[in-house]
Amino acid sequence: MRLSLCALSVSIPLAGAALVPAEATACSPGPQHGPCWYADQWAALAPVNAAAIPIDGVLVLQGTQTGPSPEAEWLDAITFTVTRDGQPIAGAIETTGIDDVLIWRPAAPLVPGATYQVEGALDNPDEDPEGEACGPDLLPLVFEFHADAGPAAPLATLTTETQGIVTITPQIAELDALVCCDDAIPFLFETDDCEIEIKWNKGACATLMGEGRLGVTMTTKGVPASTLAMTSRRLVVDGVPGATFVGADPATSSLAPVCLQVQVRNLASGEMVLSEPQCVGDDVVGSLGKQEVDPSAELAALCAGSPYECNVQGDVWQPDECEPWPAEMGTTGESTDTDGDTTGTASTDGESTGTSETDGELTGVSATDGESTGTPGTGGDATGGPGTTGTTTETGGDDSGAPTTGTAGTSGPTTSGTGTPGETAGSTGTAGDSEATAGTHGDSDGGDTSQQDDPAGSGCACESGGRPDALVMVAGFMAFVRRRRR
């Protein structure tokens, strides 16, 4: 399954002397292109080395071609006249064996330092597919070029230098690696070409996952610029020939360390050399491949409400199984233990901290699934108040029986815990009940759990506008049912 990516880059320079310190509808597999992609035509053709050509060299032309016809079938469609001081210069257009690259070879050596004028055109077919205007019927070729002072230099003096950099790109590619806000619920979407993308209809999302790639460029040196501009450079990656570059240094990107060579060919003489291997990336291998990224800055710019993350089941986000992000944004009320009775008060910012007394030591641990559990008490059952996302373990005191009461904050996000049969977090109070007073943003009341576990809370910890609307309706309905049972 291929996933589309949304990118925001962080670059890490490499160390080392040679490195530079980034409802489904039917679909059709494969890339989707417009009709012009298949049109037999040239959209552009221009000189690469017009600034200076060795006197025994050739003029290199590079363009953009589409359609099935090879370059050789286009030679008769090109008119190309070269003059010097108004006098025609004999020569011919040739192919190179490289896609979209042609050369003009003069019949005799060029005059050192002379300037030449070119006038010509490439005649594209008159009929465009499906009536589209895909390119010019006549592609003009009008420019001038200059001869260098001498012949091309031998490639034996050529040297290479490797430059590398690691770029870590955040990727929106997995539902369970997303943090969202403002009612955003991400979902998988199949595109027309059968690719799978992640989308959401409102709010914003950012990713916790990134990919580190090693980008490497091989710079070729040691020969005059006029000679180098008349060459092709083919990158060899770990012994396997790759892409060919004309007029530019070869480059590649990898998820692992690589060993590179470059094969350089003089397009005029056919001379060819292969550089020595250069291996890069061993010192940054820990930054390559799957990486964790921090979306805090992106979320701060995108979100009005508090961010949250939800469980994923069957490639579907579960909006009723969410918790605030980051986890430490949970609840931080005060807890006081006197003879085992515990009273929790949710703070206005939805966070809670615990204090320990002489009879009991209270330890708070942030949970990852929005559930609250406790050590067995002496009798009754109790539920935690809204706004708790941590696990609290009492190691030294007994609960004496008072019911636990929580009060929702006026604006703080809350996460309801899911009760667990057989576990007790309270004591043998008169009814074993905990009741939470509803907050101002639709937080649900805690009910009697002596016979039944609490339903899972939303866990979104959203401020006003941050909790998905459906969760408020569910919370209100469950509170109504509990009151009727009483």
Side-chain angles (χ1 to χ4, degrees):
M1 181 172 72
R2 295 180 296 166
L3 303 179
S4 64
L5 311 178
C6 179
L8 181 67
S9 297
V10 178
S11 296
I12 302 174
L14 301 183
L19 304 183
V20 175
E23 193 161 288
T25 57
C27 61
S28 300
Q32 297 294 301
H33 301 292
C36 290
W37 176 262
Y38 305 98
D40 220 6
Q41 65 157 4
W42 288 75
L45 187 62
V48 172
N49 61 335
I53 302 175
I55 60 174
D56 59 347
V58 296
L59 173 68
V60 181
L61 303 168
Q62 186 172 30
T64 304
Q65 178 199 6
T66 57
S69 298
E71 284 77 7
E73 294 185 10
W74 285 95
L75 298 184
D76 292 339
I78 299 174
T79 59
F80 202 84
T81 301
V82 180
T83 61
R84 173 176 172 265
D85 298 333
Q87 300 299 312
I89 305 297
I93 298 289
E94 301 176 5
T95 61
T96 61
I98 304 170
D99 289 345
D100 304 343
V101 177
L102 303 171
I103 60 172
W104 176 80
R105 186 185 299 275
L110 302 175
V111 176
T115 297
Y116 295 79
Q117 289 76 38
V118 174
E119 289 189 12
L122 186 150
D123 188 9
N124 278 314
D126 295 333
E127 297 84 13
D128 289 325
E130 301 181 17
E132 299 282 344
C134 293
D137 290 337
L138 202 65
L139 185 63
L141 301 171
V142 180
F143 56 89
E144 63 182 24
F145 65 85
H146 308 276
D148 204 358
L155 299 181
T157 61
L158 182 144
T159 60
T160 59
E161 180 180 282
T162 303
Q163 298 173 325
I165 193 167
V166 171
T167 300
I168 299 177
T169 305
Q171 295 185 325
I172 295 182
E174 295 183 10
L175 286 173
D176 57 3
L178 294 182
V179 178
C180 299
C181 62
D182 304 337
D183 296 344
I185 301 296
F187 57 91
L188 299 182
F189 175 80
E190 187 174 61
T191 65
D192 291 339
D193 59 349
C194 299
E195 290 192 352
I196 302 299
E197 295 180 353
I198 295 178
K199 293 187 175 184
W200 49 91
N201 291 328
K202 61 169 127 178
C205 294
T207 182
L208 299 167
M209 183 184 72
E211 183 180 75
R213 297 191 69 91
L214 171 64
V216 185
T217 300
M218 291 200 75
T219 303
T220 308
K221 299 179 178 181
V223 295
S226 61
T227 299
L228 189 60
M230 196 178 61
T231 64
S232 66
R233 282 157 274 182
R234 188 173 192 181
L235 198 61
V236 180
V237 182
D238 293 329
V240 179
T244 298
F245 297 78
V246 173
D249 288 321
T252 189
S253 178
S254 174
L255 292 171
V258 291
C259 292
L260 303 174
Q261 298 169 274
V262 60
Q263 186 182 68
V264 183
R265 174 163 69 105
N266 184 322
L267 295 177
S269 66
E271 179 190 9
M272 189 179 300
V273 296
L274 181 65
S275 69
E276 292 295 323
Q278 295 188 35
C279 298
V280 292
D282 286 338
D283 55 339
V284 292
V285 66
S287 298
L288 302 179
K290 191 172 182 179
Q291 302 290 318
E292 293 182 359
V293 296
D294 183 2
S296 298
E298 184 180 2
L299 290 170
L302 295 175
C303 298
S306 299
Y308 50 86
E309 54 185 347
C310 303
N311 287 338
V312 177
Q313 296 180 11
D315 290 334
V316 177
W317 244 46
Q318 305 297 312
D320 58 343
E321 299 179 18
C322 302
E323 61 182 14
W325 185 92
E328 56 266 24
M329 290 177 61
T331 56
T332 57
E334 290 186 355
S335 288
T336 304
D337 190 356
T338 57
D339 292 333
D341 297 337
T342 306
T343 300
T345 302
S347 67
T348 57
D349 62 357
E351 297 183 351
S352 68
T353 57
T355 58
S356 59
E357 297 293 320
T358 57
D359 262 356
E361 182 177 353
L362 202 61
T363 303
V365 181
S366 176
T368 59
D369 58 359
E371 298 184 355
S372 296
T373 60
T375 56
T378 59
D381 302 329
T383 60
T388 37
T389 58
T391 298
T392 303
T393 304
E394 185 174 350
T395 59
D398 295 328
D399 291 335
S400 63
T404 304
T405 302
T407 302
T410 58
S411 63
T414 63
T415 302
S416 301
T418 299
T420 304
E423 296 184 34
T424 58
S427 61
T428 58
T430 59
D433 299 333
S434 293
E435 182 172 339
T437 303
T440 60
H441 296 298
D443 298 314
S444 61
D445 298 337
D448 186 338
T449 60
S450 61
Q451 300 296 328
Q452 180 176 335
D453 292 339
D454 278 345
S458 72
C460 286
C462 312
E463 294 182 2
S464 179
R467 183 193 301 273
D469 296 339
L471 303 186
V472 178
M473 296 176 64
V474 171
F477 174 75
M478 295 309 296
F480 173 77
V481 172
R482 293 193 190 99
R483 291 189 182 99
R484 290 295 299 269
R485 285 178 178 170
R486 293 187 179 188

